[in-house]
Amino acid sequence: MFDLIVTDATLPDGRTGQDIAVRDGRIVTVGPGLAAGAEAGARLDAGGLLVTPPFVDAHFHMDATLSLGLPRLNHSGTLLEGIALWGELKPLLTVEALVERGLRYCDLAVSRGLLAIRSHVDVSDPRLVTVEAMLELRRQVAPWIDLQLVAFPQDGYFRAPGAAEALERALDMGVDVVGGIPHFERTMADGAASVASLCRIAAERGLRVDLHCDETDDPLSRHVETLAAETIRHGLQGRVAGSHLTSMHSMDNYYVSKLIPLMAEAGLHAVANPLINITLQGRHDTYPKRRGQTRVPELMAAGVNVAFGHDCVMDPWYSLGSGDMLEVASMGLHVGQMTSRDAMRACFDAVTVNAAAVMGLEGYGLAPGCRADMVLLQAADPIEAIRLRATRLAVVRGGKVVSRAEPARSALSLPGRPALVDPADYAPPALRAPMP
Ligand code: FE2
């Protein structure tokens, strides 16, 4: 007796006609023909469509989300005005308002099949209202979202008075990951020193590290090199992420030919934030304007695990967004010119399995023994899912359906033409065959 059987699923790796049997919140077996004769408390017919592990956002700011317009709008649209605006809002924040906004965003996230989020939490305000609120939010949403928190000294670990002490207090309170922002310290030397201090703290406490790192257009910003070296020095391989890394877009190619192998040696994770990078970077350029996204295909080719994050939704830095990681994957694909079939599939991985690796999620995937978390999409495969921003027909958490949506279809009123348009029906037939 199973709790749930998902029937006739196509998996992200291309296997079709798969049944997925679930018991006690875990996947028990995956394979063709399991459903026949098996007893199950519930059934979900995938109808040959794509079933994927849930979307994972490796980089987000839950404490700022849905605060757009408070206390005013970002008129220049720059990163620095966003930071200044957030500074104006901070004294006005309350635990109740932060939790309420976070809960609203998590509703949206679940409806989008986004069931794991790593959120940076600003620890620059010594009241730590943000930390208190995000810990409460993490507790409340735990049944349906894995919310991992990063202690993030937005105003600088050394630059902001009291930030170093506040960061340690946040970790004492239960924040999961050590954060930082070396490029925002007063000098390159202070930035490098902050990387060393933060890696030491993580090593001593047995925690992971995720730094906002080199989020500038400065080709000489070098903090990711320091981050890789400190990762090796402290034996933190596989536990450290560099977020944004936008300066790598502008770096000298010879230098990068040395840097990327160092990052691979250190087992660094790289997290690009395509929607934000493409809108915030290159602001000092006239034309040509740099894109500012880090070197995603080159990092992937070198064996570095690369994930895409949403970073912001309707906050001081970004007024758009809807918790849709397929929109994030689509932007990353376009900005990185990742248009081969393999590269497009890699962009889907960047918002699923690669992001789960950044967070170190236990039991992520669709193999037997994994947690029974999955999403049924109105698409035949990961590439079509990105192309269509496919509707999440069902979202499953711990073996239970927690969100459902009707298929996206339009009724046509055109003489001699079909009555219904289903966007998933319009792929050229050649795409249904295996492609080189
Ligand atoms: Fe960020």
Side-chain angles (χ1 to χ4, degrees), residues 123-436:
V123 298
S124 305
D125 179 347
R127 296 181 304 148
L128 293 184
V129 171
T130 45
V131 173
E132 198 183 321
M134 292 303 109
L135 289 169
E136 173 59 20
L137 180 69
R138 185 180 70 182
R139 189 187 66 74
Q140 288 193 31
V141 301
W144 55 93
I145 286 185
D146 294 301
L147 178 59
Q148 191 178 69
L149 302 176
V150 185
F152 173 48
Q154 169 80 73
D155 298 336
Y157 178 72
F158 288 127
R159 185 169 170 174
E165 187 265 335
L167 180 135
E168 299 253 16
R169 245 188 321 131
L171 297 174
D172 291 342
M173 288 165 71
V175 170
D176 308 284
V177 178
V178 180
I181 186 165
H183 57 271
F184 198 68
E185 304 294 347
R186 287 195 176 87
T187 65
M188 199 68 85
D190 278 1
S194 79
V195 174
S197 295
L198 294 162
C199 287
R200 178 183 48 74
I201 290 168
E204 287 171 0
R205 290 176 176 260
L207 299 178
R208 290 174 176 263
V209 178
D210 189 340
L211 304 188
H212 282 66
C213 195
D214 299 323
E215 190 184 0
T216 76
D217 295 315
D218 176 3
L220 296 177
S221 195
R222 293 286 188 257
H223 297 304
V224 64
E225 177 184 79
T226 307
L227 183 61
E230 292 297 323
T231 296
I232 294 167
R233 188 192 316 281
H234 290 287
L236 290 167
Q237 288 91 335
R239 304 173 61 81
V240 177
S243 280
H244 291 293
L245 305 174
T246 51
S247 65
M248 286 183 70
H249 187 96
S250 300
M251 282 175 182
D252 171 72
N253 289 327
Y254 176 78
Y255 174 70
V256 171
S257 76
K258 172 172 172 267
L259 175 64
I260 289 182
L262 175 65
M263 293 169 67
E265 181 191 348
L268 277 194
H269 304 277
V271 183
N273 295 294
L275 296 166
I276 307 309
N277 300 152
I278 194 69
T279 46
L280 291 185
Q281 302 310 132
R283 288 278 180 152
H284 293 268
D285 294 355
T286 54
Y287 287 94
K289 283 182 192 286
R290 285 167 288 179
R291 293 184 174 90
Q293 180 168 288
T294 195
R295 303 190 187 203
V296 174
E298 292 80 6
L299 286 162
M300 285 180 168
V304 175
N305 180 55
V306 182
F308 293 153
H310 206 318
D311 201 5
C312 302
V313 171
M314 292 182 273
D315 70 8
W317 295 275
Y318 187 60
S319 60
L320 302 170
S322 66
D324 183 355
M325 295 308 293
L326 288 172
E327 182 188 12
V328 173
S330 177
M331 182 59 77
L333 182 161
H334 285 86
V335 176
Q337 299 180 334
M338 296 173 68
T339 50
S340 74
R341 306 291 291 175
D342 282 347
M344 290 193 280
R345 280 188 280 265
C347 290
F348 189 84
D349 290 346
V351 294
T352 51
V353 62
N354 296 5
V358 171
M359 289 181 66
L361 287 181
E362 180 275 329
Y364 181 86
L366 293 180
C370 290
R371 292 160 57 176
D373 299 350
M374 55 197 113
V375 183
L376 170 60
L377 293 159
Q378 189 186 358
D381 58 50
I383 296 170
E384 187 166 89
I386 293 175
R387 182 173 67 78
L388 298 176
R389 319 265 172 83
T391 300
R392 284 66 164 170
L393 298 172
V395 180
V396 175
R397 172 73 166 184
K400 294 194 173 62
V401 176
V402 292
S403 175
R404 280 185 183 274
E406 292 297 316
R409 289 196 181 109
S410 300
L412 280 195
S413 301
L414 297 175
R417 302 308 303 157
L420 274 182
V421 171
D422 176 341
D425 288 342
Y426 282 74
L431 283 183
R432 301 301 187 205
M435 297 288 284

Side-chain angles (χ1 to χ4, degrees), residues 65-142:
T65 195
L66 306 186
S67 69
L68 180 68
L70 298 175
R72 62 180 176 82
L73 290 168
N74 180 343
H75 295 294
S76 68
T78 61
L79 172 65
L80 292 181
E81 185 175 345
I83 293 174
L85 183 47
W86 176 239
E88 293 170 35
L89 178 56
K90 265 192 277 194
L92 311 175
L93 295 174
T94 65
V95 172
E96 295 71 27
L98 284 159
V99 171
E100 184 54 33
R101 282 201 292 269
L103 284 170
R104 282 175 56 74
Y105 183 75
C106 288
D107 295 341
L108 188 59
V110 169
S111 77
R112 302 291 195 159
L114 171 54
L115 300 185
I117 301 172
R118 172 180 277 185
S119 175
H120 296 253
V121 183
D122 188 0
V123 298
S124 305
D125 179 347
R127 296 181 304 148
L128 293 184
V129 171
T130 45
V131 173
E132 198 183 321
M134 292 303 109
L135 289 169
E136 173 59 20
L137 180 69
R138 185 180 70 182
R139 189 187 66 74
Q140 288 193 31
V141 301

